[in-house]
Amino acid sequence: MTEPTFTTRVSRWYMQHARDLPWRRPEVGAWAILVSEVMLQQTPVARVLPAWTDWMARWPAPADLAAEPPAEAIRMWGRLGYPRRAVRLREAAVAIVERHDGQVPNRLEQLLALPGVGTYTARAVAAFAYGQRHPVVDTNVRRVISRAVAGEPDAGPATRPADLVAAEELLPVEPAAAALASAAFMELGAVICTARSPRCGSCPVASICAWRASGEPAPTGPTRRPQRYAGTDRQVRGLLLGVLREETAPVPRQRLDQVWADEAQRFRALAGLVNDGLVEQVNETFFRLTGDGPPVLVH
């Protein structure tokens, strides 16, 4: 009897052990999957779950979100982090309504043309929502292929064209099986073949893993350190947005001044929020979330 291939082993494992996440359920449509993929960028599943549930309850279709001002998307985004994703997701919803009659497109080139939708997200939606054969490569997938197939401890800091080629070579020809395999590779990297503490004893491909066969060599390059948050402009931006999210009326600068003592850093963070389209200046002294009220000329 022929031994199961690498992809077959991982896919079988996934069908038995995959986490029961709401955006993976059969009844979920492309819009829900698009929202989940945007939210999951640089954000753990545990934090995304309640936010995704609330978002989909309020805006179950792109047209529902497109009808709202940007301020509501920013407000609903809460503390997920990287709030520009909320603005871009709303812009994508507007484009879906205007260009595709409110339905998330199923062609890769159309998905890539949506605001804020990059190579990974477009391929993920095409594969997971529409069952198409596209390599879907994130950090987890790159790590799995690097270790199990190439025998390397990690895959480097950024996705390269070679990573897409390597992933596509592992995909079955049949589109639905390929989409399943893409999800399986991702899940394996997320819960088993993790960066710091891989659970090799539970891995479906441990017996054919090239990294284990070579003695599990440690990375030779510089270790990527977790990004510091405390004291950074990101923290200050979050504090400023926190105040503005709680109010629908413009907020005076004096109130915003109270969130952070360093005047230069506070000014820089606020200016960054304005430049990013998350906050707008109503006049010399008042600010609000973008679109939170009628247009006002700054004077």
Side-chain angles (χ1 to χ4, degrees):
M1 182 179 292
T2 304
E3 283 290 312
T5 65
F6 172 88
T7 301
T8 299
R9 292 174 187 233
V10 179
S11 294
R12 287 177 178 173
W13 168 85
Y14 176 80
M15 287 188 287
Q16 294 180 4
H17 301 286
R19 290 169 292 176
D20 181 19
L21 301 177
W23 46 83
R24 288 178 174 169
R25 293 170 186 165
E27 68 273 14
V28 168
W31 169 243
I33 291 172
L34 173 58
V35 172
S36 74
E37 290 296 340
V38 173
M39 286 186 169
L40 286 164
Q41 295 168 15
Q42 298 178 290
T43 308
V45 168
R47 292 183 60 200
V48 168
L49 276 168
W52 180 89
T53 301
D54 291 344
W55 189 282
M56 293 307 302
R58 180 169 180 179
W59 298 311
D64 301 316
L65 176 58
E68 298 270 16
E72 287 306 304
I74 300 167
R75 187 170 281 117
M76 195 71 175
W77 197 258
R79 298 187 178 278
L80 273 183
Y82 304 100
R84 277 177 292 182
R85 291 181 292 172
V87 175
R88 298 298 275 172
L89 187 52
R90 180 190 169 275
E91 291 172 352
V94 171
I96 290 168
V97 170
E98 293 177 348
R99 304 174 196 170
H100 306 289
D101 296 324
Q103 301 299 313
V104 177
N106 60 8
R107 289 166 49 189
L108 184 61
E109 62 270 23
Q110 293 175 328
L111 288 165
L112 286 167
L114 296 176
V117 175
T119 298
Y120 165 78
T121 303
R123 292 175 181 274
V125 172
F128 304 148
Y130 296 114
Q132 297 176 11
R133 187 184 186 275
H134 296 289
V136 183
V137 179
D138 69 351
T139 300
N140 292 315
V141 174
R142 292 173 61 240
R143 184 169 56 254
V144 165
I145 295 176
S146 176
R147 285 179 178 168
V149 179
E152 300 292 337
D154 60 41
T159 301
R160 304 161 298 172
D163 296 319
L164 289 171
V165 173
E168 187 167 16
E169 288 176 348
L170 294 171
L171 296 181
V173 174
E174 202 275 317
L180 174 67
S182 290
F185 297 156
M186 194 174 302
E187 183 78 345
L188 188 68
V191 302
I192 299 292
C193 192
T194 57
R196 290 186 174 82
S197 303
R199 297 165 50 205
C200 297
S202 302
C203 181
V205 292
S207 63
I208 58 173
C209 176
W211 180 59
R212 293 195 76 203
S214 62
E216 301 180 10
T220 56
T223 301
R224 185 177 180 181
R225 298 179 179 178
Q227 291 184 336
R228 181 174 62 91
Y229 179 74
T232 63
D233 284 4
R234 278 187 59 212
Q235 182 183 16
V236 183
R237 285 165 60 103
L239 293 171
L240 292 168
L241 278 179
V243 173
L244 293 165
R245 276 198 305 267
E246 296 298 320
E247 301 291 342
T248 55
V251 176
R253 184 188 292 271
Q254 294 93 322
R255 184 173 172 191
L256 295 175
D257 288 346
Q258 297 172 12
V259 307
W260 198 256
D262 187 325
E263 181 179 2
Q265 188 176 21
R266 189 179 64 245
F267 180 86
R268 184 171 64 244
L270 183 57
L273 291 171
V274 173
N275 290 336
D276 288 343
L278 297 166
V279 172
E280 57 188 14
Q281 187 170 356
V282 179
N283 53 38
E284 290 184 358
T285 57
F286 283 82
F287 296 81
R288 67 185 182 189
L289 295 180
T290 298
D292 214 1
V296 177
L297 295 176
V298 177
H299 60 273

